[in-house]
Structures are given as structure tokens and as C-alpha cells.
Amino acid sequence: MPPRIRKAVFPVAGLGTRFLPATKTVPKEMLPIIDRPLIQYAVDEAIEAGCDTLVFITNRYKHAVADYFDKAYELEQKLERSGKLEQLELIRNVLPPGVRAVFVTQAEALGLGHAVLCAKDVIGNEPFAVLLPDDVIWNRGPGALKQMADAAEATGASVIAVQDVPRSQTASYGIVATDGFAARQGRIRAIVEKPAPEVAPSNLAVVGRYVLNPGIFELLEKTTPGAGGEIQLTDAIATLLERETVNAYRFQGTRFDCGTHLGLIEATIRYALDHEKLSDAARQLMQNALNELGVEDLA
Ligand code: UTP
């Protein structure tokens, strides 16, 4: 049986320019949905999928990400002394026991492909996951990465998350062409980074979750800058699928692009409306806002 993924890579060395000025000092991955930063949603998804080694590709400005996963002794002591055990539990569970965090610096933001390549020595010769934390995937059942890891374990093939997007949006995504789908999976025949709608091979867009075989590293080493002058993961995957099977996986769940303003707003609304304690009040707040602005009822 092919091995189960144990290691997950989180490329968080991008500049996050779409969220300036906030991202001048706060890394994009630390922006919250309610009370948890985006990175925590991705980390929880990786742990649920069975990963116990989390590899963060950071840059020298992103101390906040490393600090967040570090132990906060003073805070823990204070919470313990004042009997705030619920809050204590929350900060202790940022990384559960048995899960380790490794930080690798990407000296220059040369692209997502280059960021993944920075993890090579930590990953070694085994399949691994890549999660882009600004893609938040909400699902009541198993997380997207768990669904994909199960599929990868069954076949041994690399698996890439995809979703259908309007054709007008293909230039914002990596787009795949596949053989027919059996259940949620179809073999990828071609992958192109950000094609214009007229030349896009389909409207199936790559979303920020990957399970990759380690052969990708050798290909990334040979990949030259592509779209936007960056070393693109998509270009290395295009070569990988000439050598081995790479499957597209239509995950169950709703993906929010929290790298954009509207995506972060949408995710916040979704998590608030689905929140155990906040949902009724959140619904009322939204209704009040619409009333005050003179907008008709939500229904
Ligand atoms: P994005 O394309 O969203 O870029 O990167 P960005 O810099 O984060 O954000 P904007 O576009 O300027 O607002 C996709 C993912 O790849 C990582 C980013 O951190 C993000 O998770 N990335 C990108 C790197 O780690 N290194 C790079 O060189 C480029």
C-alpha cells in the first residue's frame, strides 16, 4: 500500500500585497476569521489528514507565524493562575502534542514552486501535502486534505484539489484538463497557469491543496521562471504528469479565497453563521446592517 502523508508544507513567504496596509506588519496568514488566524485553519486540516510534521516556508519578516506556534510560557502561567482554563486549552492546542513545526526561510519570494522546493531536505523521499493557507475550505464532514490523502493513499498517485469556476475567471487560476471523472477523481492530461478564458482547456481550477510525490523536487529544480516571472509549481506539475499519474480531485466543501477582500468577508460570514455560540447574534447583526442601509430582507 502506498505510504500515508505525514508532512505538510505551508508556503507563507509571499508578500500579501492585496491586504496592504494591514500586511505591512501582520502577515496575511495571521489575519483572523473570528478568533483563529488563517494559518490555524490550514494547520488543523493537515493534522486531521494525519500529518505530524508541519513545514512553514517563511521569510525574515514573518516572525509572527513562528511566534504563534511557539510556546507562550508567561501567558500560559497567567491563564493557569487566574483559572482561565478554557483559554489555556485554546492556546495549548495551537499545536497538539506529537505534532512538530519546522521553519524554513525562503530568502527571496521567487514564486510558489520555489517556496515548495525550499522544503526538499525536510520532506526527503516520501509523499507530502502542500496547503496554501489563504484558501480556507469549509466542510461539515472530513476536511479537503483528508479526502485527498485518502485518495492518494489508495492509488499512490499525486492528487491536486480542483473546483469548477466561471470561465471568465480562468486567468486567476491554474487550470487543468482531465480524462473523465470517476466519482471525485479524474486523471490530469494538461495543466496551465492562468490561461485567458479563450484558450483555457476547461474551467476546472486548481485550489491550494496538493498531495505530491517527492519526484516533484527534481522537476522544481529544473523549472525556470514562468507566469509573472515566478518559479511556478504548476509548471513542475505539468512535467510530472508526463511521467506519472496526477489526479484532479473535486473535494467536498466550500473554498473561500481569503487572499482577497471579498473572500475573507465571505469566510467570516460563513463561519459566524455556522458558529455554535455566535450564529443567532451574527444573523441579527447582518439583518440590522441591511435594515440600516435600507437593503431589503436577506431572504
Ligand atoms: P499569492 O499569489 O497569493 O501571493 O501566493 P502573495 O504574495 O501571498 O499575495 P499577494 O498576491 O501579493 O496579495 C500564493 C501562496 O504562495 C506563497 C504565498 O505566501 C501564498 O501562500 N508564496 C508565494 C511563497 O511562499 N513564496 C513565494 O515566493 C510566492
Side-chain angles (χ1 to χ4, degrees):
M1 197 153 162
R4 177 85 184 180
I5 49 159
R6 292 188 311 113
K7 296 177 181 169
V9 177
F10 302 86
V12 293
L15 302 176
T17 52
R18 283 172 290 177
F19 272 99
L20 283 169
T23 45
K24 197 174 161 208
T25 52
V26 181
K28 177 172 69 173
E29 299 74 21
M30 295 306 295
L31 296 175
I33 299 174
I34 308 188
D35 54 0
R36 296 191 298 154
L38 297 181
I39 190 75
Q40 184 77 60
Y41 289 85
V43 159
D44 289 349
E45 196 183 315
I47 293 171
E48 184 212 1
C51 296
D52 61 11
T53 301
L54 312 179
V55 188
F56 299 92
I57 311 300
T58 62
N59 64 34
R60 59 188 161 282
Y61 306 108
K62 297 217 173 171
H63 300 292
V65 178
D67 291 348
Y68 178 76
F69 289 105
D70 206 354
K71 200 169 164 65
Y73 288 104
E74 284 184 8
L75 181 58
E76 287 193 16
Q77 273 177 4
K78 266 195 176 160
L79 291 173
E80 201 160 7
R81 267 194 239 118
S82 52
K84 296 194 167 162
L85 301 182
E86 205 178 310
Q87 287 89 337
L88 182 64
E89 213 35 39
L90 282 176
I91 61 162
R92 280 194 175 148
N93 280 342
V94 160
L95 271 193
V99 175
R100 68 174 183 143
V102 179
F103 295 87
V104 179
T105 302
Q106 185 189 24
E108 245 187 294
L110 297 179
L112 175 59
H114 180 260
V116 172
L117 180 56
C118 292
K120 182 181 172 207
D121 291 343
V122 184
I123 300 297
N125 192 28
E126 55 183 285
F128 65 102
V130 176
L131 298 96
L132 306 190
D134 42 6
D135 273 338
V136 170
I137 302 179
W138 175 91
N139 192 33
R140 288 217 170 103
L145 190 68
K146 175 161 182 1
Q147 300 169 41
M148 295 166 65
D150 290 347
E153 196 178 0
T155 64
S158 295
V159 177
I160 296 176
V162 295
Q163 72 171 36
D164 298 276
V165 296
R167 189 162 266 276
S168 59
Q169 292 177 12
T170 57
S172 304
Y173 294 93
I175 298 289
V176 297
T178 62
D179 292 338
F181 269 67
R184 295 190 168 272
Q185 262 193 127
R187 184 176 177 158
I188 301 179
R189 276 184 288 109
I191 183 166
V192 205
E193 187 62 25
K194 301 189 170 68
E198 318 76 82
V199 294
S202 77
N203 64 337
L204 257 189
V206 174
V207 166
R209 300 288 184 275
Y210 309 76
V211 175
L212 296 171
N213 282 328
I216 195 75
F217 290 121
E218 184 199 329
L219 304 175
L220 281 169
E221 275 165 343
K222 293 185 192 140
T223 303
T224 50
E230 297 196 332
I231 297 177
Q232 297 287 355
L233 181 58
T234 303
D235 292 343
I237 292 172
T239 316
L240 185 68
L241 52 92
E242 287 168 11
R243 298 184 177 186
E244 53 183 82
T245 301
V246 180
N247 288 323
Y249 190 92
R250 265 197 186 102
F251 56 90
Q252 192 165 25
T254 307
R255 168 248 182 192
F256 302 105
D257 181 359
C258 296
T260 68
H261 298 167
L262 272 179
L264 187 63
I265 294 170
E266 199 185 357
T268 304
I269 292 173
R270 175 66 58 98
Y271 279 90
L273 290 177
D274 194 46
H275 195 282
E276 221 188 346
K277 295 182 185 153
L278 301 177
S279 69
D280 289 346
R283 195 180 300 265
Q284 191 57 57
L285 290 178
M286 283 176 216
Q287 191 62 65
N288 294 351
L290 293 172
N291 292 347
E292 280 174 33
L293 293 168
V295 183
E296 289 294 303
D297 196 271
L298 272 179

